[in-house]
Amino acid sequence: NTIMLHALLLGTMSDMACPSTAAWGTACGMKITTTADATCDTVLAEMKARVAGQYDKWYDPHNNGTYTTQSYGGTFSTSRRTGDNKYTDKQIFTLTPLAEKCKIEACSRSQVFSIFDMATNYCDLKMLYCGMADGCKPVVHDFTVGQEATSKFAQSSVDLSACLKVNKKGALLERYLLEMVKQA
């Protein structure tokens, strides 16, 4: 059963929609294929709620980056600006219904020359659909995801623990913004 799952997940990895990159030369990136234990409508609603709810209902735990909805293709696409406002990555998510589950094919690409990314492109993707079981904070729907198949560009890495670390400046900003929302 596990072998069949990996074959299903890996079978489309090379055909996956990925954003273009403006980088000259090598640029990091990550492809993820997994299955959510939820419908694609539920997965999409949660992803949109996270992007729309930034700073008052949700924040990006990976150094408090900022996501913006884009039109790069797939079912849903975004760009993510790093918390220090220096770099932008682009993401495409393609969601395919599998009975009452949802196959998630996601790809993120850095937009500048890069060789190592300390899991940033992985986190760019994972933070929009991860659930409480992963240590994330859903906005409208909590669901689990199955095993992941990943494929990297350059020397990108996979590290969920890196995704869940908010830098001190980001944590202080989050506390400040949440306090401002409470007072409003």
Side-chain angles (χ1 to χ4, degrees):
N1 230 358
T2 302
I3 293 172
M4 288 180 67
L5 175 64
H6 280 315
L8 175 67
L9 293 176
L10 292 172
T12 60
M13 194 72 76
S14 63
D15 298 333
M16 186 182 298
C18 284
S20 60
T21 180
W24 183 83
T26 302
C28 287
M30 183 63 64
K31 294 179 182 181
I32 301 174
T33 302
T34 190
T35 302
D37 194 18
T39 66
C40 289
D41 288 343
T42 298
V43 173
L44 182 59
E46 178 60 26
M47 293 169 69
K48 286 182 174 181
R50 290 184 192 189
V51 173
Q54 289 176 100
Y55 309 117
D56 62 342
K57 295 180 182 173
W58 182 81
Y59 70 93
D60 172 21
H62 184 61
N63 295 322
N64 213 26
T66 301
Y67 287 89
T68 305
T69 301
Q70 300 292 350
S71 298
Y72 304 134
T75 309
F76 185 61
S77 56
T78 58
S79 60
R80 179 187 174 275
R81 190 82 175 154
T82 55
D84 61 8
N85 210 29
K86 289 184 180 179
Y87 305 104
T88 300
D89 298 329
K90 295 179 178 179
Q91 301 80 39
I92 294 176
F93 299 85
T94 302
L95 308 178
T96 307
L98 297 172
E100 292 300 309
K101 296 185 179 210
C102 182
K103 180 179 179 182
I104 301 170
E105 295 175 286
C107 184
S108 178
R109 292 300 309 270
S110 294
Q111 297 302 300
V112 296
F113 173 82
S114 51
I115 298 172
F116 299 99
D117 73 350
M118 286 24 148
T120 295
N121 282 280
Y122 174 78
C123 299
D124 289 351
L125 301 169
K126 184 81 172 182
M127 293 301 93
L128 288 184
Y129 65 82
C130 56
M132 290 176 71
D134 295 315
C136 297
K137 296 176 182 169
V139 176
V140 292
H141 300 291
D142 183 30
F143 48 84
T144 58
V145 294
Q147 290 183 309
E148 296 175 338
T150 60
S151 177
K152 65 183 180 179
F153 292 87
Q155 294 303 311
S156 295
S157 55
V158 174
D159 182 359
L160 181 59
S161 67
C163 302
L164 301 174
K165 290 181 183 174
V166 176
N167 65 23
K168 290 179 184 177
K169 186 189 283 184
L172 290 173
L173 176 62
E174 176 202 0
R175 277 189 240 136
Y176 171 77
L177 291 172
L178 289 174
E179 197 58 40
M180 295 301 290
V181 168
K182 287 178 189 175
Q183 292 175 9

